[in-house]
Amino acid sequence: MSLKKISLLFILLFLRFTLSAQINNKDIVVGSSFTIHSKIMNDDREIQVFLPDSYTKSNKKYPVLYILDGQRYFLHGVSLQKSFVEFRHTPEFIVVGISKKKSERNRNFSVNSKKYLEFIEKETIALIDEKFRTSKKRLLFGWAYGGGFVVETMTTKPNLFNAYISASPFPLNNKIDKVDSLFTKNPNFDKLLYFTSGSDEGLVKDETEKLNLLMTNKAPKTMNWTFRELRGEQHRSTPFTTLYHGIKEYFHFYPELQFSNLEDFTKVGGLNYVYNYYKQRAKQFGFPPELTKWTMFTLTRNAIRANNYNQFSAFINEFKETKFINELRVSRACSIAEFYLKNKQYDKAINLFTYLTEIHPNSERPLNGLGDTYKELKKKRKSSIYYEKAKKLSKSNSN
């Protein structure tokens, strides 16, 4: 073997060893798995549990999402929890997967449904409530025969869960009369039912439309319910979309409210809707009933973006007593002052820019804003004074 070949072989072996040494394998662990012996089912059962990130550092109690067919959808539920919490769409909640064995097919959701519900209530929920800090707020999700089981559970144990989320529920024909009876017995029923079907699901679509008709005609006004036809979704894809929107609907009043534009704000009912939203948010989640600073700012920002001074002025006057502008970051507060300037409201622009220079002494933007305002007023000497101050502050900040 030539010296060149030996050198090349040595280099290749060295690179292979180096790359191999740099790989640090690490298992990904998502939650915990418990095997419990069910006296009711006379069998061993697997329960998967995912706890919120803050669980070990807090004394809080958490809502629980129970997922049927956990062997399929537990990880999807965990993924949604992580995403919703990160973007502050929901509070943290515990995710529990109730796994099903292949050999059982759909018997637990049909001929054995009473026994299976008893197992869920008396052994699974009882275990979770005993072992973990739960708030007793519960959501139940199921797909296909599991979705039909969710609807049946609502009629059999209407207060066991706060939200019933059902993807492509089947069969429903023998359950619709039970739903009707539930409403007769409970005229103030106030739980959430969120159910869906794909647009090409045959019997599933036909039966969900029958349930939708019943809900439309007879659901109590106190009830929150939604039927959604998922266009383009197939039978096996509906659970993923349904669980996402079902969770979001249950926690509808949790996020701070904001609108994409003034048109959306007007469509939902304007300020009456906004104030009612925060009352509901306080009632369901214990937040203060007052509008948050973020909501007040984003409404004002929408008026600025629409170049609608009348609506802008209405928002400023509506929120004046809250002094929300005082707590905004300087760039956001300056955008309000700059809109005053744009609309030739010079006194208001000067007052706000001046105030911002006092509470943000290291920011150049309010100083430049004062320079721009006095320039518009043809007061060149005063304008140059503020531009010079901004220039000096800029040099100081860069050093």
Side-chain angles (χ1 to χ4, degrees):
M1 186 179 291
S2 67
L3 182 60
K4 285 185 177 180
K5 288 183 177 179
I6 293 173
S7 298
L8 179 61
L9 179 61
F10 176 80
I11 291 170
L12 291 173
L13 288 171
F14 176 78
L15 287 173
R16 181 179 178 183
F17 173 80
T18 302
L19 290 172
S20 177
Q22 290 176 348
I23 296 174
N24 182 18
N25 291 328
K26 186 177 180 181
D27 292 335
I28 299 174
V29 179
V30 180
S32 303
S33 178
F34 299 90
T35 300
I36 63 174
H37 181 74
S38 169
K39 293 181 180 179
I40 295 170
M41 303 299 296
N42 192 28
D43 199 358
D44 290 337
R45 296 282 158 168
E46 182 186 9
I47 307 295
Q48 301 153 292
V49 180
F50 176 80
L51 298 177
D53 292 342
S54 70
Y55 188 87
T56 58
K57 300 175 184 177
S58 78
N59 294 314
K60 292 191 298 185
K61 294 183 177 181
Y62 299 86
V64 186
L65 167 65
Y66 288 89
I67 296 179
L68 302 175
D69 284 316
Q71 75 282 357
R72 279 195 183 113
Y73 305 119
F74 173 73
L75 291 177
H76 180 54
V78 172
S79 175
L80 289 178
Q81 192 264 26
K82 299 285 284 184
S83 180
F84 280 135
V85 170
E86 179 181 354
F87 292 103
R88 299 180 183 178
H89 287 308
T90 73
E92 290 182 300
F93 54 88
I94 297 169
V95 182
V96 174
I98 305 174
S99 294
K100 186 179 66 172
K101 297 177 180 178
K102 289 183 179 179
S103 61
E104 293 172 336
R105 295 184 180 271
N106 291 309
R107 290 195 305 275
N108 287 337
F109 299 141
S110 52
V111 293
N112 290 336
S113 61
K114 290 183 180 179
K115 184 184 286 188
Y116 198 62
L117 179 54
E118 187 179 4
F119 154 70
I120 290 174
E121 179 184 13
K122 295 182 179 179
E123 293 183 325
T124 305
I125 293 177
L127 172 70
I128 298 300
D129 284 349
E130 178 185 353
K131 195 173 181 65
F132 304 104
R133 297 192 308 275
T134 64
S135 68
K136 305 302 185 293
K137 299 290 185 183
R138 306 185 189 106
L139 299 81
L140 178 65
F141 166 76
W143 165 73
Y145 272 78
F149 178 81
V150 168
V151 175
E152 183 176 342
T153 298
M154 183 183 74
T155 65
T156 308
K157 293 284 184 178
N159 295 315
L160 187 58
F161 296 92
N162 300 86
Y164 296 87
I165 305 170
S166 178
S168 301
F170 186 83
L172 284 181
N173 276 340
N174 61 342
K175 299 177 176 68
I176 290 177
D177 286 343
K178 294 180 181 179
V179 176
D180 191 354
S181 178
L182 168 68
F183 296 156
T184 302
K185 294 176 182 177
N186 298 271
N188 296 317
F189 188 65
D190 61 354
K191 310 304 180 185
L192 166 71
L193 173 63
Y194 189 95
F195 64 108
T196 65
S197 71
S199 53
D200 299 311
E201 285 201 88
L203 283 175
V204 173
K205 183 172 179 290
D206 293 341
E207 294 190 9
T208 52
E209 286 181 347
K210 290 179 183 178
L211 179 57
N212 179 44
L213 182 62
L214 173 70
M215 300 298 296
T216 302
N217 293 330
K218 294 193 175 182
K221 292 181 180 179
T222 52
M223 186 178 181
N224 180 12
W225 70 275
T226 298
F227 167 64
R228 187 176 177 193
E229 183 180 320
L230 303 175
R231 296 191 176 278
E233 297 287 357
Q234 299 177 345
H235 186 59
R236 287 179 175 81
S237 66
T238 59
F240 302 101
T241 301
T242 303
L243 185 55
Y244 172 89
H245 287 287
I247 294 172
K248 193 173 179 182
E249 182 61 32
Y250 178 69
F251 293 110
H252 174 78
F253 292 107
Y254 185 84
E256 291 183 84
L257 189 60
Q258 72 176 82
F259 299 95
S260 299
N261 49 56
L262 285 181
E263 288 75 15
D264 289 348
F265 164 76
T266 303
K267 282 179 184 177
V268 297
L271 283 173
N272 287 335
Y273 174 85
V274 174
Y275 284 121
N276 182 64
Y277 179 96
Y278 275 92
K279 287 179 183 177
Q280 295 294 330
R281 187 173 187 255
K283 180 180 178 181
Q284 188 172 353
F285 300 108
F287 288 112
E290 295 80 19
L291 276 59
T292 63
K293 302 297 186 293
W294 175 246
T295 292
M296 289 186 280
F297 169 68
T298 55
L299 286 172
T300 306
R301 184 177 62 185
N302 283 340
I304 293 173
R305 289 174 173 174
N307 197 27
N308 186 331
Y309 184 79
N310 288 336
Q311 183 65 76
F312 166 84
S313 181
F315 285 143
I316 293 295
N317 290 331
E318 179 74 21
F319 307 141
K320 186 176 182 179
E321 291 185 4
T322 69
K323 299 181 179 179
F324 80 101
I325 297 176
N326 300 7
E327 298 181 30
L328 295 176
R329 65 178 62 170
V330 63
S331 60
R332 291 171 177 168
C334 280
S335 69
I336 293 173
E338 287 158 1
F339 197 61
Y340 278 133
L341 173 58
K342 180 179 179 180
N343 286 275
K344 303 185 185 305
Q345 302 294 312
Y346 301 120
D347 289 343
K348 292 178 179 179
I350 289 171
N351 288 337
L352 184 50
F353 279 132
T354 301
Y355 174 73
L356 294 175
T357 62
E358 294 169 358
I359 63 173
H360 299 286
N362 294 319
S363 177
E364 306 152 32
R365 189 163 169 177
L367 292 169
N368 279 317
L370 284 168
D372 292 340
T373 307
Y374 284 113
K375 183 179 179 181
E376 283 286 309
L377 291 169
K378 310 298 183 185
K379 297 182 179 181
K380 294 183 179 180
R381 183 173 174 279
K382 213 163 188 179
S383 174
S384 61
I385 290 173
Y386 285 106
Y387 283 144
E388 188 61 30
K389 285 182 178 181
K391 187 176 179 181
K392 287 181 180 179
L393 185 58
S394 177
K395 288 182 180 180
S396 175
N397 288 338
S398 62
N399 292 332

